[in-house]
Amino acid sequence: MIQIIKNPDVALWPSLCRRATFDDAAIDSRVRGILALVKEEGDKALRALADEIDGFCPESFLVSEEELANSASYVPQSLQEAIRTAKRNIEVFHQKELPSSFTAETMPGVVCQRRMLPIRRVGLYIPGGSAPLFSTILMLAIPAKIAGCPEVILCTPCDKKGIVNPVILWTAQLCGVSTIYKLGGAGAVAAMAYGTETIKPVCKIFGPGNRYVTKAKQYVSTEGVAIDMPAGPSEIMVLADDTANPLFIAADMLSQAEHGPDSQALVVCHSEETAQRINEELDAQIKLLPRATIATKALQNSRIVVFDTNDTSERDSLYLRFADSYAPEHLIIEMKDPWAIASKVTAAGSVFVGHFSPESAGDYASGTNHTLPTMGLAKSFSGVGVDSFLHAISYQELTSDGLELLSQTIISMAEAEGLTAHANAVKVRVGQK
Amino acid sequence: MIQIIKNPDVALWPSLCRRATFDDAAIDSRVRGILALVKEEGDKALRALADEIDGFCPESFLVSEEELANSASYVPQSLQEAIRTAKRNIEVFHQKELPSSFTAETMPGVVCQRRMLPIRRVGLYIPGGSAPLFSTILMLAIPAKIAGCPEVILCTPCDKKGIVNPVILWTAQLCGVSTIYKLGGAGAVAAMAYGTETIKPVCKIFGPGNRYVTKAKQYVSTEGVAIDMPAGPSEIMVLADDTANPLFIAADMLSQAEHGPDSQALVVCHSEETAQRINEELDAQIKLLPRATIATKALQNSRIVVFDTNDTSERDSLYLRFADSYAPEHLIIEMKDPWAIASKVTAAGSVFVGHFSPESAGDYASGTNHTLPTMGLAKSFSGVGVDSFLHAISYQELTSDGLELLSQTIISMAEAEGLTAHANAVKVRVGQK
C-alpha cells in the first residue's frame, strides 16, 4: 500500500516532488581516493582495485578477439532478432537528430559558419552484474556512430571468472564497438578520464552506474572531461483519468520500482477509488516479481496524488502544473485526451502518450533514447541524443572590405569596454590589402 | 620578449599546450561558505555579503524602471548604433541555429517525436567593474530570446554609488531583458541557483566571471542547476605562414593578453625570423596599451612555436596536429591557404580564417558567439548557441496494434536483462483494446 495524498495545497507540492535523498559523504572520499590512485599509478592501481573490490583481476583488461568472436554463440537467436529490431528503430529515430552545419553571410564580406563535428574519442560505461544492461549499449553506441565518432570504447565489469556477459559483447559489436575493457566502477571512470598504460583517455564519458560511478563522473567533469549528464535514480510519473486501467498503471509503476530501492513512482489521478484500485493491483502484481524486495523499497518513496475535480480543464491544468513541477524522467499520460496535456508539458525527459505506450517501449525498442535526465533536471537538460556526441565549431572569414565595413562597430564597442588591444587588432588591418 | 620554441619533439607538446594553473583552495572554501549562507539566509546573506565585499549594499537589488528608462541618455548615439549593428548580425547567425522538432513512425503504430523547448527561466551573469562586458549580454540574451525562453533575468554588480553601468542596462533592454538585479560574484550565482525572497531560482546559469563566480557555477552545477559551461581563462592560437603580417599577429596576441593575467596566446609559425619579428611588434605595441601590465603578465604564459619546414604538406600536418592538441578557444589561421587547415580542425571553439578575420570581429559583431570553451574543452564542448537555451523532450505514442507488433522485442530484451516488471508492463496490455 503506497501513500495516497488528496488535494494537496500548492505549498505542499515541493515536498511531494522531492526525490529520495542519500548521504554521499562516505562514497565521496572513497571515490576521490580511487580517482587519485588511478591518476597516479595507472594500470597498477586498476589491478589493485580489481583485486580489492572484486576479489579478481582479469589477466588482460582488453576483451580478446576470441571472446568477441565467441559471444554470438551464447546469445539466443530470438534475442538477437529482438536486439536487431530495436537497433533498427533506434537508428531510424536518431538519424533524424543529426543537426546540419550552416553558413550565413551576415554582411557583405563577413561569412560565418557553424560546423557540427563528432567528438573524437568517447567512452561508454555499461554496468554488469545481475542485470547486464545491453540495451544501454544500443542507446549510446548507435547515436555515437550516427554522429561519426571515430573512436568509441566501452568499459564494463567482468565476473569472478573474468567473463563479460556475452550479450554485452555481441550487442557492442553489432553497434560497431569492439574495443571493450573489463573494468567497472569508479576505477573505470578514472581510467577513461585520465588514461593509463592500456587505455587512452577519452574526451567524454557516457553511461549509467551505481553511486560510485556517478560520483566519479561528477568529479572528472570538474577536471575537463565531459560527461553525458548528472545521473540520479530512475523515476516515473503517471497521469491518469477514469479511462486509465489500474492494471496498466500498477505495472508501469513496478517497471520503475524494480530498477532500484531509490527509484520513485508518482501517480496523479482524480479519484480516491482509482487510487485504491491501483494500490490493490500493486499488491497483487508485486508478489510475483523476482525483484520484489527492491520494488517494495522503491514504493516507499512513491505516492499517489489525488486531485478530485470533475472540471476537465481545471484537472488538466492541475495535472500539467504538478507534472512540470516534478519534471519527471518518464511521464506516462494514460488519459482519454492525452495530447491536451502532452503538448503543453515543459519539463520531462520522455513522454509516453496514451494507454498503449508503456515506459518499457521507450526503454528498449520504440526508437527514442532511454538515457534521460532525472532529479528534476528535465527542466534544463535533454536526454542523450546524436548531439551529445557532437560539438560545434564556429568559423568566420572576413574579406578586407568586410572587415572595413564592420570596423567602426567593433572599434566603438571594444573601446567602450575599455579593451584597446581589441580595437587595435582591427585598426592595424584597416586600409591594408 | 616571449618564449620561442623551435621544432619541439611531440613528447614536449603536452607541456607546450599546458594552460596557466592556479591554486583554488582558498577560493574553494570561501565560495562554499557564500553558497551555504545564501541558501540558508537568502536576501539577508546577500546584503551582508554586499556590505562585506563591496562595502556597499544597494537599497533594492532590482534595478528600477527609472534607472532602466534613463540609461539610454548615457549611451552615445555612435555606440548605440554599433550595438544595433552587432545585434543584427548576431541575430542573423543565431536564427540559423534553431533546431527543428521531428516525428518518426519507426514501425506501423509506433510514432516517436523529439520536440525542442525553451528552458523556462534562465539567469545571465554579466561582470561589471572597469570593463562592463555589455557585449556578453548580446551573446547570451539574443540566443535566449531566439530560443523563446519566457523568463530571462540578469545579475550584474553595481558600483559603490549603487549604479549599474548604463550601457549594460541599455543593451539588456535592447535585447528584451528588463529584470536586472544589482548582484555580483558568488552571491549572485547562489541567488540565481537557490532563489531568495527577491529572486526566483533559475533553471540554468550563463555567463563569465572571475574565479569566485566560476567556482560557484561549478558547485551549483553539481546540485541540479545547469550551467553554460565550465569556464577558464581566455586563450588564442595563431597559425602563421610567410604571408602572415607580424603586425597583425602581435595585435591579435595582445587582444587576448589584455583580458587578464592568466590569458594565453600561442603562435605557430615556420621561421625563427617571423617569430623574432612578432616579438619586436609585441614590444612596440604593448607599450601603448592602457592594460599593458595585465598583458605583460599574460605574455609570460604565452609562447611562439616554430616548425621550420619548407614542405607545405608536412607543415600543414604539424600545424593541424598541434592546434588539435591545444584545442584553442580561438584559432586564427593567417596563411595563404587557410582552409587547407581550417576545414580539417577537429578541436577549437571558433576559427578565424585568413588575414582579415581578427578575434575581435567574433568577440563583438560578426555574428558568431563569443562564449566559447576554454582549457582544451573545445575537444568536446561547443560554444553557447540557441541550443544552450533549449532542451529536448522525446514523445512516443503507440497504438494497441503498434505495441503488439513490438511486444515480443520488448519482452525478450526485458527478460534477458532480468527486468520482469518491464516485460509485464507490455504483457498486461497485449490483447487489450
Side-chain angles (χ1 to χ4, degrees):
Chain A
M1 294 291 276
I2 79 166
Q3 200 191 356
I4 297 174
I5 299 109
K6 207 171 155 184
N7 297 325
D9 189 84
V10 175
L12 285 176
W13 289 15
S15 69
L16 295 175
C17 291
R18 199 162 288 152
R19 271 74 176 176
T21 52
F22 31 79
D23 181 18
D24 266 356
I27 285 183
D28 197 84
S29 65
R30 177 68 172 132
V31 168
R32 276 175 196 260
I34 291 173
L35 293 177
L37 199 67
V38 175
K39 199 178 205 171
E40 179 83 9
E41 300 185 355
D43 284 345
K44 191 183 152 202
L46 294 178
R47 281 191 293 268
L49 287 166
D51 281 333
E52 183 195 335
I53 299 171
D54 309 319
F56 175 84
C57 180
E59 212 167 300
S60 160
F61 292 124
L62 185 67
V63 171
S64 70
E65 294 284 339
E66 200 190 340
E67 288 170 287
L68 290 173
N70 290 342
S71 62
S73 61
Y74 297 97
V75 185
Q77 282 303 322
S78 59
L79 182 57
Q80 290 193 14
E81 202 179 301
I83 294 173
R84 282 185 207 279
T85 301
K87 176 171 180 272
R88 197 201 130 275
N89 287 351
I90 296 163
E91 281 170 349
V92 168
F93 184 78
H94 285 75
Q95 278 287 357
K96 294 215 170 197
E97 289 181 355
L98 252 183
S100 38
S101 301
F102 66 83
T103 301
E105 187 165 7
T106 54
M107 286 178 116
V110 181
V111 176
C112 301
Q113 286 188 0
R114 197 181 209 216
R115 295 190 183 194
M116 303 306 299
L117 277 93
I119 298 175
R120 244 183 277 161
R121 184 172 164 84
V122 299
L124 316 182
Y125 184 80
I126 303 295
S130 60
L133 299 183
F134 59 84
S135 61
T136 301
I137 301 175
L138 297 170
M139 298 297 177
L140 299 177
I142 292 172
K145 288 292 166 177
I146 292 174
C149 297
E151 297 178 46
V152 184
I153 67 152
L154 189 154
C155 285
T156 192
C158 60
D159 69 11
K160 291 201 176 178
K161 289 175 186 157
I163 294 169
V164 172
N165 191 299
V167 192
I168 286 186
L169 298 184
W170 184 81
T171 307
Q173 289 175 89
L174 182 72
C175 297
V177 179
S178 52
T179 307
I180 303 171
Y181 296 98
K182 297 175 185 177
L183 278 172
V189 174
M192 290 193 276
Y194 309 132
T196 70
E197 297 87 331
T198 318
I199 302 179
K200 271 203 303 174
V202 303
C203 304
K204 190 166 183 176
I205 299 172
F206 293 79
N210 60 23
R211 281 153 64 190
Y212 292 87
V213 168
T214 301
K215 189 55 95 176
K217 281 172 66 187
Q218 195 181 86
Y219 271 117
V220 301
S221 80
T222 66
E223 298 178 297
V225 182
I227 61 169
D228 47 358
M229 68 183 82
S234 199
E235 63 207 23
I236 200 172
M237 176 180 266
V238 183
L239 306 181
D241 65 8
D242 51 17
T243 67
N245 189 333
L247 174 70
F248 297 2
I249 295 178
D252 293 334
M253 294 176 78
L254 290 171
S255 77
Q256 194 58 56
E258 75 173 341
H259 268 300
D262 46 12
S263 289
Q264 190 171 60
L266 259 60
V267 172
V268 182
C269 63
H270 69 288
S271 88
E272 228 173 327
E273 195 203 325
T274 308
Q276 295 295 357
R277 287 183 53 209
I278 295 167
N279 247 336
E280 286 158 24
E281 276 296 337
L282 283 173
D283 283 348
Q285 291 183 30
I286 201 167
K287 291 180 192 134
L288 308 172
L289 291 181
R291 295 166 74 93
T293 318
I294 291 170
T296 303
K297 278 197 187 141
L299 290 185
Q300 287 162 11
N301 313 321
S302 300
R303 47 195 85 102
I304 303 177
V305 174
V306 179
F307 291 116
D308 73 343
T309 167
N310 287 318
D311 178 331
T312 317
S313 79
E314 191 196 351
R315 180 201 66 195
D316 284 2
S317 159
L318 278 166
Y319 278 26
L320 178 65
R321 281 168 52 210
F322 193 68
D324 273 346
S325 302
Y326 185 63
E329 182 189 13
H330 307 98
L331 176 66
I332 310 196
I333 309 180
E334 304 189 35
M335 298 175 72
K336 193 181 171 196
D337 179 15
W339 283 105
I341 291 177
S343 62
K344 291 186 192 134
V345 166
T346 67
S350 197
V351 183
F352 298 77
V353 183
H355 301 298
F356 292 94
S357 309
E359 188 203 311
S360 15
D363 283 344
Y364 289 112
S366 63
T368 60
N369 207 290
H370 79 197
T371 311
L372 297 165
T374 55
M375 306 289 286
L377 291 173
K379 286 173 186 165
S380 50
F381 281 83
S382 313
V384 162
V386 172
D387 46 359
S388 311
F389 295 90
L390 296 167
H391 64 124
I393 301 183
S394 61
Y395 285 80
Q396 59 208 283
E397 185 171 25
L398 284 76
T399 61
S400 63
D401 288 345
L403 181 61
E404 187 143 357
L405 193 61
L406 203 51
S407 60
Q408 204 42 59
T409 298
I410 303 169
I411 292 167
S412 290
M413 292 175 72
E415 288 179 346
E417 285 194 350
L419 296 174
T420 314
H422 280 65
N424 283 351
V426 174
K427 288 179 183 171
V428 295
R429 283 168 163 96
V430 169
Q432 307 253 10
K433 287 283 165 188
Chain B
M1 294 288 278
I2 77 166
Q3 201 191 356
I4 298 174
I5 299 108
K6 207 172 155 184
N7 297 324
D9 188 84
V10 175
L12 285 176
W13 289 16
S15 68
L16 296 175
C17 290
R18 200 162 290 151
R19 271 72 176 178
T21 53
F22 30 80
D23 180 20
D24 265 356
I27 285 184
D28 197 87
S29 64
R30 176 69 173 134
V31 169
R32 276 175 197 258
I34 291 174
L35 293 177
L37 199 69
V38 175
K39 198 178 205 169
E40 179 83 9
E41 300 185 357
D43 284 346
K44 190 182 154 204
L46 294 178
R47 281 192 292 270
L49 286 166
D51 281 333
E52 183 194 335
I53 298 172
D54 309 319
F56 174 84
C57 179
E59 212 167 299
S60 158
F61 292 124
L62 186 68
V63 171
S64 71
E65 294 284 340
E66 200 190 341
E67 288 170 287
L68 290 172
N70 290 342
S71 62
S73 61
Y74 297 98
V75 185
Q77 282 303 322
S78 59
L79 182 57
Q80 291 193 13
E81 202 179 301
I83 294 173
R84 283 184 206 279
T85 302
K87 175 171 181 274
R88 196 201 131 273
N89 287 350
I90 296 164
E91 281 170 348
V92 168
F93 184 78
H94 285 76
Q95 278 287 359
K96 294 214 168 200
E97 289 181 356
L98 253 183
S100 37
S101 301
F102 66 83
T103 300
E105 187 165 8
T106 53
M107 285 177 116
V110 181
V111 176
C112 300
Q113 285 187 2
R114 197 182 210 216
R115 294 190 184 195
M116 302 307 300
L117 278 94
I119 297 174
R120 243 183 279 163
R121 184 171 163 84
V122 299
L124 316 183
Y125 184 80
I126 304 294
S130 60
L133 299 182
F134 59 86
S135 61
T136 301
I137 302 176
L138 298 170
M139 298 298 177
L140 298 177
I142 292 172
K145 289 291 165 178
I146 291 174
C149 297
E151 296 178 48
V152 183
I153 67 152
L154 189 153
C155 285
T156 192
C158 60
D159 70 11
K160 291 199 177 180
K161 290 176 186 155
I163 296 169
V164 172
N165 191 299
V167 192
I168 286 185
L169 298 183
W170 184 82
T171 307
Q173 290 175 90
L174 182 72
C175 298
V177 179
S178 53
T179 308
I180 303 172
Y181 296 99
K182 297 175 186 177
L183 279 172
V189 175
M192 290 194 275
Y194 310 131
T196 71
E197 298 86 333
T198 317
I199 302 179
K200 271 203 304 174
V202 303
C203 304
K204 191 167 182 176
I205 300 173
F206 293 79
N210 60 23
R211 281 152 64 189
Y212 292 86
V213 169
T214 301
K215 187 57 91 177
K217 280 172 65 187
Q218 194 181 87
Y219 271 116
V220 301
S221 79
T222 67
E223 297 178 297
V225 181
I227 62 169
D228 48 357
M229 69 183 83
S234 198
E235 63 208 22
I236 200 173
M237 178 180 265
V238 183
L239 306 182
D241 65 8
D242 50 17
T243 68
N245 190 335
L247 174 71
F248 297 2
I249 296 178
D252 293 334
M253 294 176 77
L254 290 170
S255 77
Q256 193 58 56
E258 75 174 339
H259 268 300
D262 46 12
S263 290
Q264 190 172 60
L266 259 59
V267 172
V268 182
C269 63
H270 70 291
S271 88
E272 228 175 322
E273 196 203 323
T274 307
Q276 294 295 357
R277 287 182 53 206
I278 294 167
N279 247 334
E280 285 158 25
E281 276 296 338
L282 283 172
D283 282 348
Q285 292 183 28
I286 201 168
K287 292 179 191 134
L288 308 173
L289 291 180
R291 294 167 75 95
T293 319
I294 291 170
T296 304
K297 277 196 189 142
L299 290 185
Q300 286 161 11
N301 313 320
S302 301
R303 47 195 86 100
I304 303 177
V305 175
V306 178
F307 291 117
D308 74 342
T309 167
N310 287 317
D311 178 331
T312 317
S313 78
E314 191 196 350
R315 181 201 65 198
D316 284 1
S317 158
L318 277 166
Y319 278 24
L320 178 64
R321 281 167 54 209
F322 192 68
D324 273 346
S325 303
Y326 185 63
E329 182 189 13
H330 307 97
L331 176 66
I332 310 193
I333 309 182
E334 303 189 36
M335 298 173 72
K336 194 182 171 195
D337 179 14
W339 283 106
I341 291 176
S343 61
K344 291 186 192 133
V345 165
T346 66
S350 197
V351 183
F352 298 77
V353 183
H355 301 298
F356 292 94
S357 309
E359 190 203 308
S360 15
D363 283 344
Y364 289 110
S366 63
T368 60
N369 207 290
H370 78 197
T371 311
L372 297 165
T374 54
M375 304 291 286
L377 292 172
K379 286 173 187 165
S380 50
F381 281 82
S382 312
V384 162
V386 173
D387 46 0
S388 312
F389 294 90
L390 295 167
H391 63 125
I393 302 184
S394 61
Y395 286 80
Q396 58 209 285
E397 184 171 27
L398 285 76
T399 61
S400 62
D401 288 344
L403 182 61
E404 187 143 359
L405 193 62
L406 203 52
S407 59
Q408 203 42 59
T409 297
I410 303 169
I411 293 167
S412 291
M413 291 175 73
E415 289 180 345
E417 285 194 350
L419 296 174
T420 314
H422 280 64
N424 283 352
V426 174
K427 287 178 183 171
V428 295
R429 284 168 163 98
V430 170
Q432 308 250 11
K433 285 282 164 191

